[in-house]
């Protein structure tokens, strides 16, 4: 299965859209800050560094603690991954050249990590040392395209090395999905002819590897392609290279998510210069890029120049632009002024930094709704479209979502909060494993301002918490939100649970990761979910569905069931009787009784034989050392006396069962 996990979260290695981001900063060999913390045994600082990467959008974290100053890599790695596993829900990538360190870390982690890395350099000892670990624990590994002859430089060499690695791996039982091939990325900063074509060879190598091994994955260390450049041109090259690598089939990237620039934010002339360099189109591409970057206003320290917000634009356009371009500062003022622009004679206070409207919500409500529909929601739709097209990666979507959250928070001040009788009760939350709540928050705002009582459970909501709140408030419906493909599977867990227990709760589902086909399939797998499971493409569609549930539920469910029936009806083609059939007869399953079987009347002597007395005394009772040995006879007497008591109180039973699996 192409999944990695921590104790708390499962992450699909195939992100949709890609890439899976591996945070690179918890690495003593790549970060001076991390190295200083490792040498000082500053585990608190390392956990903080990891949390920053996770909060910035990293799906998993590369962890490397090897230093030349110390020889306790194994102990340090085990201690750090233990802390990270307890305090963060982000899966880990174990970065070490020592198989014993890697295996010790894997044994410590309550989940499935990734190994970084294996290769076939020299005598292949790096591969033969870690391949058994991959097979034993079923973990994937970054597989660097380094063969017996050294680093693969051309696309063909990269593919040949991947082939050789897959062939060697068969001896150990390694599966194709366990390879995360790194086709190697070399710096373009030297201007040397030897590496002028290296980036395009890497991109072509990704295409070749994905074509021949479609179930494998690919990864690049992004910062390698620009190593040696100044910060700003480095980020330009990284952004443009990443965009084209993803289009070629790249699945994962090792990078600092805080250092990335959205591809659309790269000025066109610099984008063209970077593409000339990456694809080796012109001999002077590097010089042209550096000259172009030298003339750019990076607003200090090599950061990307922020897109300018023209103060002459209408406020609605400014608010829209800020959300799309992740410009949070000033968005509250623009939202207020946008609302004011939709009021005939507004009373506005504006000092140039903050603004407010001195009018009652009943007079501003319609204008606020117009701003929401005309400026804020279209901005998030644009962000979603760019995310789907691969022009934005997840960290930038999260930044736009933060802007949207601030905008909606300000806008809510000018909406009428309807009091009195509620039109209905909705339990709402983002499913477990998903930390994205901007869409869910918008649903809450719209529903509340249309007379519904919303019980917002927040994000990363476990199934049990949904169930408890539904029962507590006697909810009329439940709303499940998910942004990511892997977390949308929680919706299946919910409807399966509700179906099996005969719950009577309609389910409204929404989020970027799902569509109507997916929800309709969940609603019918295992039998139609009678109370109804509805796909809501946006908050207004959800509101319309909720209104129908509360006014004419029978008509809505009848229409919904007709839609499901039409979906399942064959759409023509040859009749089933005319299709070719295999002559192979299926194997009949054994004759068994389905369900659980309980065996009682167990001989207690059989039970006592399975008890490890030494472990019981040492681990259960805490009996250790010489004092324990001196009192061993007393412990045996107590143990035998307790056995008699236990036999009077408990009746041992065995339970087993056969259950029909779901195909």
């Amino acid at each position: 299965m192409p999944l990695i996990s921590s104790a708390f979260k499962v992450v699909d290695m195939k992100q949709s859209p890609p890439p899976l981001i591996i945070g690179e900063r918890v690495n003593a060999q790549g970060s001076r800050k991390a190295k200083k913390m490792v040498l000082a045994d500053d585990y608190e600082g390392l956990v903080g560094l990891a949390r920053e990467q996770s909060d910035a959008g990293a799906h998993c974290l590369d962890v490397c603690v090897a230093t030349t100053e110390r020889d306790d890599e194994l102990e340090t790695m085990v201690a750090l991954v233990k802390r990270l596993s307890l305090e963060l829900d982000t899966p880990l990538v174990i970065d070490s050249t020592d198989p014993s360190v890697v295996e010790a870390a894997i044994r410590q982690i309550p989940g499935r990590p990734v190994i970084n890395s294996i290769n076939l350099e020299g005598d292949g000892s790096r591969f033969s040392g870690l391949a058994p670990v991959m097979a034993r624990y079923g973990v994937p590994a970054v597989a660097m395209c380094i063969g017996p002859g050294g680093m693969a430089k051309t696309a063909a060499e990269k593919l040949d090395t991947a082939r050789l690695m897959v062939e060697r791996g068969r001896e150990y039982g390694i599966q194709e999905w366990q390879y995360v091939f790194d086709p190697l990325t070399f710096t373009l900063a030297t201007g040397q002819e030897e590496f002028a074509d290296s980036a395009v060879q890497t991109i072509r190598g990704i295409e070749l590897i994905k074509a021949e091994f479609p179930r494998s994955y690919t990864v690049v260390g992004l910062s390698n392609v620009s190593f040696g450049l100044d910060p700003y041109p480095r980020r330009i090259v990284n952004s443009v290279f990443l965009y084209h690598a993803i289009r070629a089939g790249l699945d994962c990237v090792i990078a600092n998510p805080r250092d990335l620039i959205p591809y659309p934010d790269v000025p066109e002339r610099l984008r063209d210069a970077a593409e000339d360099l990456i694809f080796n189109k012109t001999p002077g591409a590097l010089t042209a890029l550096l000259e172009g970057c030298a003339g750019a206003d990076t607003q200090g320290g090599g950061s990307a120049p922020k897109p300018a917000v023209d103060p002459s634009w209408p406020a609605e356009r400014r608010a829209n632009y800020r959300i799309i371009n992740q410009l949070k500062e000033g968005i509250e003022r623009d939202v207020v002024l946008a609302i004011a622009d939709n009021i005939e004679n507004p009373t506005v206070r504006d000092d140039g930094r903050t603004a407010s409207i001195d009018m009652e919500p009943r007079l501003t409500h319609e204008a606020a709704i117009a701003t929401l529909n005309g400026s804020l929601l279209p901005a998030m739709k644009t962000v979603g479209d760019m995310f789907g097209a691969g022009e934005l990666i997840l960290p930038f979507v999260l930044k736009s979502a933060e802007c949207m959250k601030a905008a909606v928070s300000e806008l809510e001040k000018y909406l009428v909060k309807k009091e009195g009788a509620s039109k209905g009760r909705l339990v709402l939350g983002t499913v477990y494993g998903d930390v994205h709540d901007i869409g869910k928050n918008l649903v809450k705002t719209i529903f509340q301002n249309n007379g519904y009582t919303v019980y917002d459970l927040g994000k990363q909501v476990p199934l049990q918490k949904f169930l408890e709140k539904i029962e507590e408030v006697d909810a009329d419906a439940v709303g499940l939100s998910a942004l990511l493909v892997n977390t949308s599977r929680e919706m299946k867990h919910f409807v399966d649970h509700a179906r099996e227990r005969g719950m009577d709760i309609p389910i409204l589902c929404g989020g970027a990761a799902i569509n109507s086909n997916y929800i309709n399939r969940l609603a019918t797998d295992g039998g139609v979910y009678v109370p109804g499971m509805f796909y809501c493409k946006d908050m207004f569609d959800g509101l319309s569905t909720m209104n129908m549930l509360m006014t004419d539920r029978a008509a809505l469910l009848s229409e919904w069931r007709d839609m499901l029936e039409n979906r399942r009806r064959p759409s023509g083609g040859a009749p089933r009787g005319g299709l070719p059939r295999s002559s192979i007869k299926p194997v009949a399953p054994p004759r068994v009784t389905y369900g659980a079987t309980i065996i009682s009347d167990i001989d207690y002597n059989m039970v006592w034989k399975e008890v490890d007395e030494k472990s019981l005394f040492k681990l259960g009772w805490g009996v250790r050392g010489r004092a324990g040995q001196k009192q061993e006879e007393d412990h045996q007497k107590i143990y035998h006396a307790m056995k008699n008591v236990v036999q009077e109180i408990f009746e041992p039973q065995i339970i087993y069962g056969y259950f029909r699996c779901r195909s």
Side-chain angles (χ1 to χ4, degrees):
M1 290 287 289
L3 301 173
I4 54 177
S5 65
S6 65
F8 309 106
K9 184 166 71 174
V10 174
V11 174
D12 198 325
M13 292 177 63
K14 187 69 174 179
Q15 291 293 307
S16 180
L20 176 94
I21 299 173
I22 303 172
E24 67 178 1
R25 301 300 292 166
V26 191
N27 187 321
Q29 295 187 356
S31 165
R32 293 177 185 172
K33 187 175 183 179
K35 181 177 180 179
K36 185 177 180 181
M37 290 175 177
V38 168
L39 294 176
D41 290 325
D42 183 6
Y43 292 104
E44 196 69 35
L46 289 165
V47 170
L49 199 59
R51 184 173 284 110
E52 288 177 8
Q53 295 277 280
S54 181
D55 291 346
H59 298 97
C60 49
L61 301 169
D62 187 76
V63 181
C64 176
V65 297
T67 64
T68 55
E69 291 85 351
R70 293 172 58 158
D71 59 1
D72 58 349
E73 182 189 3
L74 190 150
E75 293 79 6
T76 305
M77 177 67 84
V78 169
L80 179 56
V81 298
K82 183 176 182 179
R83 286 286 299 270
L84 293 172
S85 297
L86 288 171
E87 299 190 36
L88 296 178
D89 64 359
T90 314
L92 303 179
V93 178
I94 306 306
D95 192 341
S96 175
T97 60
D98 187 336
S100 64
V101 172
V102 172
E103 183 162 14
I106 291 173
R107 291 174 64 86
Q108 182 63 57
I109 295 170
R112 176 189 279 167
V114 180
I115 296 172
N116 188 9
S117 59
I118 58 173
N119 63 61
L120 293 173
E121 186 175 16
D123 61 358
S125 57
R126 180 80 176 272
F127 183 85
S128 59
L130 285 171
V133 178
M134 293 173 64
R136 185 178 307 122
Y137 297 100
V139 296
V142 174
M144 303 184 75
C145 289
I146 305 176
M151 293 185 288
K153 294 181 180 178
T154 68
E157 289 173 352
K158 297 173 193 295
L159 177 59
D160 287 342
T161 306
R163 285 172 176 160
L164 182 58
M165 207 171 302
V166 171
E167 184 181 335
R168 294 272 182 91
R170 292 194 182 103
E171 301 172 15
Y172 299 90
I174 298 174
Q175 300 178 55
E176 187 176 310
W177 72 265
Q178 290 179 265
Y179 292 99
V180 187
F181 288 111
D182 182 349
L184 303 184
T185 310
F186 303 96
T187 182
L188 297 172
T190 63
Q192 295 178 5
E193 184 64 28
E194 179 186 1
F195 296 109
D197 210 34
S198 62
V200 71
Q201 291 298 324
T202 297
I203 291 171
R204 290 173 182 165
I206 292 169
E207 293 174 338
L208 293 177
I209 290 171
K210 291 296 291 184
E212 182 145 341
F213 303 109
R215 291 189 295 277
S216 71
Y217 296 86
T218 52
V219 65
V220 296
L222 186 60
S223 58
N224 294 339
V225 74
S226 60
F227 183 77
L229 295 177
D230 288 337
Y232 181 49
R234 188 169 193 182
R235 290 176 179 177
I236 295 293
V237 172
N238 289 351
S239 174
V240 176
F241 176 76
L242 178 60
Y243 174 76
H244 288 287
I246 290 171
R247 290 172 68 88
L250 183 72
D251 300 297
C252 316
V253 61
I254 302 173
N256 180 359
R258 292 184 179 276
D259 285 344
L260 300 175
I261 301 174
Y263 179 76
D265 285 0
V266 178
E268 186 174 355
R269 60 189 178 83
L270 296 181
R271 189 188 309 165
D272 291 343
E275 287 174 345
D276 287 346
L277 176 64
I278 290 166
F279 291 98
N280 194 22
K281 293 180 179 179
T282 59
L286 178 59
T287 301
L289 174 68
L290 297 178
E291 289 176 351
C293 290
D297 177 13
T298 60
Q299 299 180 3
S303 300
K306 289 290 185 182
V309 179
D310 190 334
S312 67
W313 289 346
E316 277 199 355
R317 182 179 176 185
R318 296 200 302 269
N320 179 283
Y321 188 83
R322 288 185 189 280
I323 292 171
I324 293 172
N325 291 281
Q326 308 97 43
L327 303 173
K328 186 176 178 181
E329 186 177 351
I331 195 165
E332 292 92 343
R333 175 175 177 267
D334 284 341
V335 167
V336 172
L337 296 180
I339 295 171
D341 287 344
N342 288 315
I343 300 173
E344 189 169 344
N345 294 304
T347 305
V348 181
R349 293 185 184 182
D350 180 15
D351 62 9
R353 290 179 292 108
T354 60
S356 62
I357 302 174
D358 292 339
M359 300 174 71
E360 295 179 12
R362 64 184 178 84
L363 301 175
T364 60
H365 181 86
E366 293 301 324
I369 292 295
T371 299
L372 178 65
N373 293 338
S375 176
L376 307 187
L377 294 180
M380 282 309 294
K381 183 180 185 306
T382 299
V383 170
D385 291 344
M386 294 169 73
F387 181 51
E391 295 178 7
L392 285 183
I393 58 177
L394 187 60
F396 304 119
V397 177
L398 299 182
K399 289 179 182 178
S400 288
E402 285 300 313
C403 295
M404 183 66 168
K405 191 172 184 178
V408 171
S409 178
E410 187 67 26
L411 181 135
E412 284 180 334
K413 299 175 183 177
Y414 301 98
L415 294 172
V416 174
K417 294 177 174 59
K418 297 185 179 180
E419 305 292 342
S422 171
K423 289 170 62 177
R425 297 173 297 279
L426 176 74
V427 171
L428 179 66
T430 303
V431 297
Y432 184 71
D434 204 316
V435 298
H436 311 103
D437 63 356
I438 185 65
K440 182 264 300 174
N441 292 340
L442 290 171
V443 170
K444 175 184 175 182
T445 298
I446 294 297
F447 273 55
Q448 285 180 332
N449 284 282
N450 279 272
Y452 289 99
T453 302
V454 179
Y455 299 91
D456 183 5
L457 303 183
K459 52 193 177 184
Q460 291 220 78
V461 183
L463 171 64
Q464 187 60 34
K465 192 172 180 181
F466 277 116
L467 300 175
E468 290 170 356
K469 181 57 73 171
I470 289 168
E471 183 177 359
E472 176 191 334
V473 304
D474 190 21
D476 296 300
V478 61
L480 308 179
S481 173
L483 176 70
L484 304 176
V485 172
N486 61 304
T487 57
S488 67
R489 295 168 186 151
E490 291 293 319
M491 295 177 176
K492 173 174 171 54
H493 298 331
F494 185 95
V495 70
D496 286 349
H497 181 93
R499 183 187 289 113
E500 290 169 4
R501 282 152 185 78
M503 294 177 65
D504 184 24
I505 183 79
I507 307 170
L508 311 185
C509 300
I514 63 173
N515 55 40
S516 59
N517 287 335
Y518 177 72
I519 295 304
N520 291 339
R521 188 169 72 250
L522 297 189
T524 54
D525 284 352
V528 173
Y529 180 65
V530 176
M533 186 176 192
F534 305 94
Y535 168 66
C536 306
K537 67 178 183 293
D538 56 34
M539 64 229 61
F540 298 108
D541 193 25
L543 178 63
S544 175
T545 303
M546 189 71 178
N547 286 339
M548 282 291 291
L549 279 171
M550 301 310 298
T551 57
D552 197 347
R553 178 172 173 175
L556 175 65
L557 290 175
S558 176
E559 180 182 337
W560 176 69
R561 282 192 291 268
D562 288 344
M563 179 272 295
L564 293 179
E565 185 61 33
N566 290 333
R567 173 179 171 269
R568 290 188 294 181
R569 191 171 294 143
S571 57
R576 293 189 62 85
L579 295 175
R581 294 183 177 275
S582 169
S583 60
I584 299 174
K585 301 296 183 183
V587 177
R591 293 182 177 274
V592 297
T593 301
Y594 288 104
T597 300
I598 298 175
I599 300 176
S600 302
D601 194 23
I602 306 296
D603 184 350
Y604 250 115
N605 290 324
M606 294 173 59
V607 177
W608 300 129
K609 287 179 181 178
E610 300 301 320
V611 177
D612 185 332
E613 294 182 13
K614 288 185 178 180
S615 296
L616 174 66
F617 295 159
K618 286 184 178 181
L619 302 179
W621 294 6
V623 177
R624 292 182 176 86
R626 294 180 180 177
Q629 292 176 357
K630 291 178 180 179
Q631 298 174 346
E632 185 173 354
E633 187 176 338
D634 293 336
H635 299 146
Q636 287 288 347
K637 289 180 181 178
I638 295 171
Y639 174 55
H640 288 296
M642 287 183 64
K643 288 201 295 188
N644 293 329
V645 174
V646 168
Q647 290 181 197
E648 292 293 327
I649 299 174
F650 297 108
E651 177 189 355
Q653 293 182 326
I654 296 172
I655 183 169
Y656 71 94
Y658 293 93
F659 303 91
R660 297 184 186 276
C661 64
R662 293 178 180 172
S663 61

